Amino acid sequence: MTPWASLTSLSSPPMIRPAPTITSTPTLTSDVVRTKTYQNVIYQNQFLFKDKIVLDVGAGTGILSLFCAKAGAQHVYAVECSDMADMAKEIVEANGFSNVITVLKGKIEELELPVPKVDIIISEWMGYFLLFENMLNTVLYARDKWLVSNDGVLLPDKASLYLTAIEDAEYKEDKIEFWNNVYGFDMSCIKKQAMMEPLVDTVDQNQIVTNSQLLKTMDISKMTPGDASFTAPFKLVAERDDFIHALVAYFDVSFTKCHKLMGFSTGPRSRSTHWKQTVLYLEDVLTVCQGESIVGSMTVAQNKKNPRDIDIMLKYSLNGRRCTVSRVQYYKMR
């Protein structure tokens, strides 16, 4: 591991909380981990930026572009497709960087840069579960079209997805099992929907029952768009006797071109970020003893109708002293 809903019920509504939609507008004050990491990467590695041409993909307010300009970039092209681009232009002007930063409003795939190539591409492209509503394909398009071939730098350039397992009886009972008997009526069809929708929420590290398993590492400098769809095996070993109600996914990102390795984690043992963690509830309650293993595989694929959505197939089995189970479950991040 790297070192460093919503349906309204009757009187007391449990919430089936879908993963919220990300936007290109950074919540700078509420996500110090993300913004501070990018700032440190840029300011502590000014040798990467001095006199270089930088492309900021999905620039939002332009904060990353401002960091790059201050670090000595020759010129920064900040591309933002939303109306936030208009605000970014004002912010750039207000801070005296209009001669260094050019804000371009539009989609990367539909515009042309005033230069044939750039030296650096920087982007905060990651989505919930790393891949939900992300801008990865846009970054890869920009890489293939504009990044210099020899010494081009992508920031960040590595992203890794992890899996662990948690005890979460209270939430599952209150918000999911609730639908089995709603004031004497069977509404279990809603429970089925709730089970299929991964929950984006903050997990208490004390809930973790097993080790963490690396599922996938993506090298953004080399990968193709198809590499974001994959099947990965996992083996989660119980670290104590407990019950398991859900699996939890999170990701780390790394900036390996820095003088020293830098990055951040969205895991439950790290400082909270706006990505939180992604919780996939299991149909079974797994009774595990210390040392026993849950083995299986996770298949992640872009939805065919909407590539920004994610389809997940989870296969898992446990052959323990007090519990034996084997099951396949399907999830949809919409």
Side-chain angles (χ1 to χ4, degrees):
M1 186 172 173
T2 308
W4 51 99
S6 287
L7 295 168
T8 304
S9 75
L10 304 177
S11 59
S12 178
M15 299 296 291
I16 304 172
R17 293 178 287 176
T21 301
I22 67 170
T23 71
S24 59
T25 307
T27 51
L28 300 179
T29 56
S30 64
D31 199 353
V32 176
V33 173
R34 169 178 57 177
T35 308
K36 194 67 178 176
T37 299
Y38 277 89
Q39 183 186 47
N40 289 338
V41 164
I42 295 166
Y43 285 0
Q44 295 178 21
N45 295 275
Q46 294 190 28
F47 71 93
L48 287 175
F49 295 88
K50 184 172 175 54
D51 300 328
K52 296 298 175 64
I53 306 296
V54 180
L55 173 60
D56 181 359
V57 177
T61 61
I63 185 65
L64 300 187
S65 295
L66 291 166
F67 290 157
C68 294
K70 195 171 181 180
Q74 178 183 324
H75 205 90
V76 183
Y77 295 97
V79 179
E80 172 58 47
C81 67
S82 75
D83 289 339
M84 183 56 65
D86 301 322
M87 297 297 294
K89 288 180 182 179
E90 289 189 35
I91 292 169
V92 168
E93 290 172 5
N95 286 275
F97 283 105
S98 296
N99 61 328
V100 180
I101 301 173
T102 300
V103 179
L104 301 172
K105 186 176 182 179
K107 295 182 178 180
I108 281 283
E109 297 86 352
E110 297 174 358
L111 56 75
E112 289 296 330
L113 295 182
V115 292
K117 294 291 179 181
V118 300
D119 302 297
I120 298 171
I121 294 176
I122 191 166
S123 179
E124 188 271 283
W125 57 265
M126 300 78 70
Y128 296 100
F129 187 71
L130 183 60
L131 297 169
F132 176 62
E133 293 196 337
N134 69 83
M135 296 191 301
L136 178 58
N137 284 354
T138 298
V139 171
L140 298 182
Y141 178 92
R143 177 201 67 186
D144 294 343
K145 186 170 184 178
W146 284 300
L147 190 64
V148 294
S149 56
N150 294 327
D151 300 318
V153 175
L154 276 160
L155 298 171
D157 60 326
K158 295 286 178 64
S160 298
L161 187 66
Y162 292 87
L163 193 68
T164 189
I166 62 167
E167 182 280 328
D168 200 15
E170 184 176 355
Y171 182 92
K172 189 179 182 189
E173 181 67 30
D174 289 349
K175 308 302 184 185
I176 295 180
E177 301 301 335
F178 169 91
W179 297 105
N180 287 331
N181 185 339
V182 182
Y183 301 99
F185 296 98
D186 181 355
M187 297 189 182
S188 56
C189 58
I190 297 177
K191 172 185 171 181
K192 293 176 183 178
Q193 179 179 335
M195 291 289 291
M196 291 185 68
E197 295 180 354
L199 172 72
V200 174
D201 205 354
T202 300
V203 171
D204 186 329
Q205 62 177 327
N206 294 319
Q207 296 176 262
I208 300 172
V209 179
T210 70
N211 63 309
S212 292
Q213 170 77 57
L214 173 64
L215 290 176
K216 176 80 170 180
T217 294
M218 296 187 296
D219 184 339
I220 316 305
S221 64
K222 299 177 181 177
M223 69 177 293
T224 66
D227 294 336
S229 297
F230 60 89
T231 298
F234 64 82
K235 180 180 180 181
L236 301 175
V237 182
E239 297 176 344
R240 63 173 185 262
D241 293 356
D242 212 329
F243 302 97
I244 290 174
H245 300 87
L247 301 188
V248 174
Y250 63 93
F251 64 88
D252 296 354
V253 295
S254 302
F255 301 78
T256 71
K257 302 300 183 182
C258 298
H259 179 62
K260 292 176 65 176
L261 179 64
M262 302 180 75
F264 63 87
S265 174
T266 65
R269 289 192 169 98
S270 300
R271 187 173 176 181
S272 180
T273 71
H274 94 107
W275 289 286
K276 302 180 182 180
Q277 291 88 44
T278 302
V279 184
L280 299 92
Y281 284 99
L282 305 178
E283 291 185 24
D284 310 282
V285 176
L286 307 183
T287 305
V288 293
C289 300
Q290 183 176 2
E292 292 180 346
S293 299
I294 304 164
V295 296
S297 65
M298 177 179 283
T299 298
V300 177
Q302 291 180 330
N303 180 262
K304 292 180 180 179
K305 292 183 179 179
N306 185 352
R308 287 167 66 84
D309 292 345
I310 298 295
D311 294 330
I312 302 168
M313 180 176 70
L314 179 68
K315 296 181 180 180
Y316 63 90
S317 62
L318 169 65
N319 187 15
R321 297 196 298 275
R322 295 172 182 166
C323 181
T324 300
V325 65
S326 181
R327 191 178 293 277
V328 179
Q329 285 186 234
Y330 298 89
Y331 304 87
K332 298 179 180 181
M333 295 194 76
R334 299 286 185 269

